[in-house]
Amino acid sequence: MGDFAHVFETPPPGAAADWTIPQNWEAYTEVEHQTWVSLYERQMKVLPGRACDAFMKGLDQLDLHGQGIPDFARINEALEKLTGWTVVAVPGLVPDDVFFDHLANRRFPAGQFIRLPDQLDYIQEPDVFHDVFGHVPMLCDPVFADYMQAYGQGGARAQSLGMLKNLARLYWYTVEFGLMETPEGLRIYGAGIVSSKTESIFCLEDPSPNRLGFDLERVMRTLYRIDDFQQVYFVIPSLEALLEETTRDFGGVYERLKGTEDLPIETVLPTDKVYTRGTQAYAAAGGRF
Ligand code: PHE
Ligand code: FE
């Protein structure tokens, strides 16, 4: 996504024109596999009862348990049968247009590298654990699978209309940091949360953040922060509702957005459906974990 400075403007040496590289699974070291296992085990202590059913089911369907960094070829055999998606390896963040083109073709670009053992809690650039453990289980869900493809198609359009900043907020507050309402309570489906132990707990249990009902235009107006826990989470009623809400044509939405101001992160509007009005104590104390 366009949130970070890209190191490369063109595919780096060894990458194809679409920025993909071989995963080179055989080359991962024991230490690297162990980093995955440590991250995996931490998450499995916190996710049951916090992550949504679709995510937990995806982990099972792809057999993403234990064993170290998964071989993308093995994942793809199962994933392609389920929803037609595949995972492709890339060196790191890719330009927006390349990213959108992959999504529009049901390919999820995943970082090939894994973080260092002293970066279990936080890394700025998405690695294979964030991308595969965080994102790929949800791609087993047929509705979410359609949403991600539609997002890729919508990305190219937003780019040509100069509305990428607004569309990126939709991605941020759904794909990365989305919560869902279920009969059992709020559940996580966002990849940025399910790949983080501390935020998996914070997003549901801490009194600090606002938890507000998802509203498309409202979300597209809302600023976000990339380097700390979120100050607001948006709650969708269901994946079906998210897909339905975003399948309509954004032309009119974009027109209206051009005449409105961006909203500061901590804003609560009279029109918001408020699940939790946060204290914002975490952010007020300076944040950063
Ligand atoms: N419906 C959007 C448009 O008309 C495309 C889109 C779909 C964007 C789903 C995001 C998610 O541009
Ligand atoms: Fe991500």
Side-chain angles (χ1 to χ4, degrees), residues 92-204:
L93 291 162
V94 301
D96 292 322
D97 58 327
V98 176
F99 182 70
F100 296 142
D101 188 61
H102 281 302
L103 296 188
N105 289 286
R106 292 195 175 236
R107 290 187 302 266
F108 189 78
Q112 186 271 351
F113 73 100
I114 192 151
R115 69 196 73 186
L116 297 170
D118 64 359
Q119 296 173 312
L120 294 194
D121 286 319
Y122 183 78
I123 46 157
Q124 180 149 9
E125 281 231 6
D127 70 342
V128 66
F129 187 77
H130 168 78
D131 279 337
V132 174
F133 182 90
H135 283 282
V136 178
M138 289 304 293
L139 294 172
C140 296
D141 182 278
V143 176
F144 192 83
D146 285 353
Y147 174 64
M148 282 291 271
Q149 178 180 23
Y151 185 89
Q153 293 162 342
R157 181 172 178 218
Q159 202 165 29
S160 68
L161 296 172
M163 300 304 287
L164 209 49
K165 195 180 61 165
N166 300 90
L167 191 74
R169 294 172 185 162
L170 175 64
Y171 191 90
W172 190 261
Y173 283 120
T174 61
V175 177
E176 294 292 355
F177 292 97
L179 298 181
M180 182 190 304
E181 188 175 4
T182 80
E184 290 81 40
L186 299 187
R187 292 289 183 272
I188 307 162
Y189 71 95
I193 309 176
V194 290
S195 58
S196 159
K197 179 185 165 196
T198 43
E199 193 152 5
S200 291
I201 299 168
F202 177 90
C203 74
L204 293 174

Side-chain angles (χ1 to χ4, degrees), residues 147 151 154-155 157-158 163-174 213-224 234 242 245-258 260-264 269:
Y147 174 64
Y151 185 89
R157 181 172 178 218
M163 300 304 287
L164 209 49
K165 195 180 61 165
N166 300 90
L167 191 74
R169 294 172 185 162
L170 175 64
Y171 191 90
W172 190 261
Y173 283 120
T174 61
F214 177 87
D215 173 283
L216 180 71
E217 288 185 42
R218 201 277 187 220
V219 166
M220 285 186 157
R221 290 173 62 197
T222 309
L223 299 173
Y224 61 88
F234 290 99
L242 174 65
E245 182 67 11
T246 51
T247 304
R248 65 193 166 96
D249 190 285
F250 284 6
V253 175
Y254 289 148
E255 277 315 307
R256 281 191 296 281
L257 284 171
K258 281 181 188 155
T260 57
E261 306 250 301
D262 290 346
L263 294 171
L269 298 172

